[in-house]
């Protein structure tokens, strides 16, 4: 009986040891798995993060600094890292504190604020250089700044109007002393435009024409410029298109004018000597007059833009009673002259034959009388 008791006790102890061994082994594997997950670190580089300046904006004007920087973010929490990477959901800012910085040009440190504790940040640029001045405001008259390409393309400026004519410029005290002109810079225009209407931001320029720093956003003005464009006369060349009747061999065209004036930039006008005007002659059997719009690529303007054209069908030669005849008409000068010449020739031949017959009849009458 004692041996059986001891055997049961030994079996229970052995089972307990196995259970404990399995328990610790399972926990060890679980902890090992957690360690692997938490050791994974994710990285993201975020570019063009705005630099926030901390200073008294009513008293001072700050310029000359890089307004964006790149930030390297890292975290073991992928979701939190994505939130800080996204511009719409991020909490952090890059700040430069200028509250205790003296006037003049100096270098100030950058720091990251508002970042989640689960994410770390490293600035690619640790400092920025800034110029701090006393803030001042002054009125200036605005002048239009015409691109140099206008002269190169042959444009002539007729009139310039600016609204408003004067603007207030806010900048630093020392920068204000350097301003010699406030300009409204115009951009290039299309080749056929003779009037420019643009709304632009003004620029403050120094004596060398360099752009100075002013308060952002800069004042805006509306500029209207009337231009005279280079002009050139070119010939029109009419061509038949479409499907003519089967018995019409060709067409001639009589136009009210064969020369028009085009206006545009020099670079466009130099490439044009003639303008091709297609005319649809489908189904036309008799002479008709039409108003044709001259095709325009949009790089130039045409005067007049339309021309009246008489379309004359020329029929194929046919044989009738042994005589060759023409029907229809040809209004082109060369064809008309050729046609008239032929008719004149035919007419003169018929008259000569008629004369000879009359003379023969008269001689026969005289002989009969005698």
């Amino acid at each position: 009986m004692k041996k059986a008791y001891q055997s049961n006790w030994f079996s229970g102890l052995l089972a307990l040891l196995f259970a404990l061994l399995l328990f610790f082994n399972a926990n060890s594997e679980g902890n090992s798995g957690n360690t692997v997950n938490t050791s994974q670190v994710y990285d993201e580089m975020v570019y063009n993060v705005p630099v926030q300046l901390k200073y008294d904006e009513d008293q001072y004007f700050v310029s000359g600094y890089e307004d964006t920087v790149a930030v390297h973010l890292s975290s073991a929490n992928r979701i939190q890292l994505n939130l800080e990477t996204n511009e719409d959901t991020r909490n952090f800012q890059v700040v430069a504190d200028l509250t205790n910085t003296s006037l003049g040009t100096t270098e100030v440190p950058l720091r990251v604020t508002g970042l989640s504790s689960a994410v770390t940040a490293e600035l690619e640029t640790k400092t920025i250089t800034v110029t701090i001045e006393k803030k001042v405001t002054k009125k200036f008259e605005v002048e239009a700044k015409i691109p140099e390409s206008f002269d190169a393309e042959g444009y002539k400026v007729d009139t310039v109007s600016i609204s408003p004519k004067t603007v207030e410029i806010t900048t630093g005290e020392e920068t204000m002393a350097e301003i010699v002109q406030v300009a409204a810079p115009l951009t290039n225009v299309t080749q056929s435009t003779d009037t420019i209407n643009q709304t632009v931001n003004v620029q403050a320029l120094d004596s060398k024409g360099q752009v100075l720093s002013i308060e952002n956003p800069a004042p805006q003005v509306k500029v209207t410029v009337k231009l005279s464009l280079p002009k050139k006369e070119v010939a029109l060349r009419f061509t038949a298109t479409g499907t003519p009747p089967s018995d019409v061999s060709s067409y001639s065209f009589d136009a009210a004018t064969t020369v028009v004036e085009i206006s545009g930039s020099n670079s466009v006008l130099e490439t044009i000597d003639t303008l091709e005007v297609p005319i649809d002659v489908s189904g036309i059997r008799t002479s008709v007059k039409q108003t044709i719009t001259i095709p325009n690529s949009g790089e130039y303007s045409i005067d007049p833009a339309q021309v009246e054209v008489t379309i004359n069908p020329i029929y194929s030669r046919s044989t009738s009673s042994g005589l060759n005849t023409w029907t229809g008409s040809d209004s082109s000068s060369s064809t008309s002259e050729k046609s008239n010449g032929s008719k004149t020739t035919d007419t003169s031949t018929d008259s000569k034959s008629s004369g000879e017959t009359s003379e023969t009849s008269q001689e026969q009458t005289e002989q009969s009388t005698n």
Side-chain angles (χ1 to χ4, degrees), residues 163-326:
S163 178
K165 294 182 178 180
T166 59
V167 295
E168 288 189 343
I169 297 297
T170 299
T171 185
E173 194 172 35
E174 294 181 8
T175 302
M176 183 70 76
E178 297 181 38
I179 298 177
V180 297
Q181 181 188 22
V182 172
L186 300 176
T187 57
N188 291 332
V189 297
T190 56
Q191 288 90 336
S192 61
T193 301
D194 57 6
T195 302
I196 305 173
N197 289 299
Q198 291 184 4
T199 300
V200 297
N201 294 330
V202 302
Q203 294 177 341
L205 308 177
D206 63 13
S207 58
K208 297 180 181 178
Q210 295 178 331
V211 179
L212 300 171
S213 295
I214 61 175
E215 191 172 49
N216 187 34
Q220 288 188 331
V221 295
K222 182 178 180 181
V223 183
T224 301
V225 180
K226 298 284 187 180
L227 298 171
S228 294
L229 278 65
K231 298 179 180 181
K232 178 181 180 180
E233 286 190 344
V234 297
L236 299 178
R237 185 164 64 90
F238 302 99
T239 58
T241 62
T243 306
S246 58
D247 54 347
V248 176
S249 62
S250 61
Y251 290 86
S252 67
F253 305 101
D254 288 335
T257 180
T258 58
V259 176
V260 294
E261 187 177 71
I262 61 174
S263 303
S265 64
N266 283 337
S267 59
V268 171
L269 299 188
E270 289 171 357
T271 63
I272 302 173
D273 293 320
T274 60
L275 293 177
E276 184 171 321
V277 184
I279 299 176
D280 187 2
V281 297
S282 299
I284 295 180
R285 292 182 172 275
T286 61
S287 295
V288 294
K289 182 180 288 186
Q290 293 184 357
T291 299
I292 306 297
T293 299
I294 303 171
N296 189 343
S297 66
E299 295 182 329
Y300 49 83
S301 58
I302 306 174
D303 185 28
Q306 295 179 322
V307 61
E308 282 193 350
V309 180
T310 301
I311 306 169
N312 303 301
I314 303 173
Y315 285 84
S316 304
R317 184 184 294 271
S318 62
T319 303
S320 177
S321 301
L323 296 176
N324 292 329
T325 60
W326 285 94

Side-chain angles (χ1 to χ4, degrees), residues 28-83:
S28 175
E29 289 180 355
N31 291 335
S32 176
N34 291 338
T35 303
V36 171
N37 290 336
T38 56
S39 64
Q40 178 67 49
V41 177
Y42 303 96
D43 296 280
E44 289 286 349
M45 181 64 79
V46 184
Y47 297 95
N48 299 318
V49 179
V51 175
Q52 307 293 331
L53 301 182
K54 186 178 178 182
Y55 69 102
D56 187 347
E57 298 182 17
D58 294 330
Q59 298 293 324
Y60 302 101
F61 179 80
V62 180
S63 62
Y65 63 95
E66 294 291 333
D67 56 0
T68 62
V69 294
V71 183
H72 177 254
L73 300 178
S74 59
S75 176
N77 188 325
R78 185 65 185 177
I79 296 176
Q80 192 65 47
L81 181 64
N82 289 340
L83 290 173

Side-chain angles (χ1 to χ4, degrees), residues 331-353:
S331 59
S332 63
S333 58
S334 60
T335 306
S336 297
E337 290 172 2
K338 182 177 179 181
S339 179
N340 290 337
S342 299
K343 288 180 180 180
T344 301
T345 302
D346 293 340
T347 302
S348 62
T349 302
D350 293 342
S351 298
K352 182 178 180 181
S353 299

Side-chain angles (χ1 to χ4, degrees), residues 3-15:
K3 289 182 179 181
Y5 174 79
Q6 290 178 344
S7 177
N8 291 337
W9 179 86
F10 178 77
S11 297
L13 180 60
L14 187 61

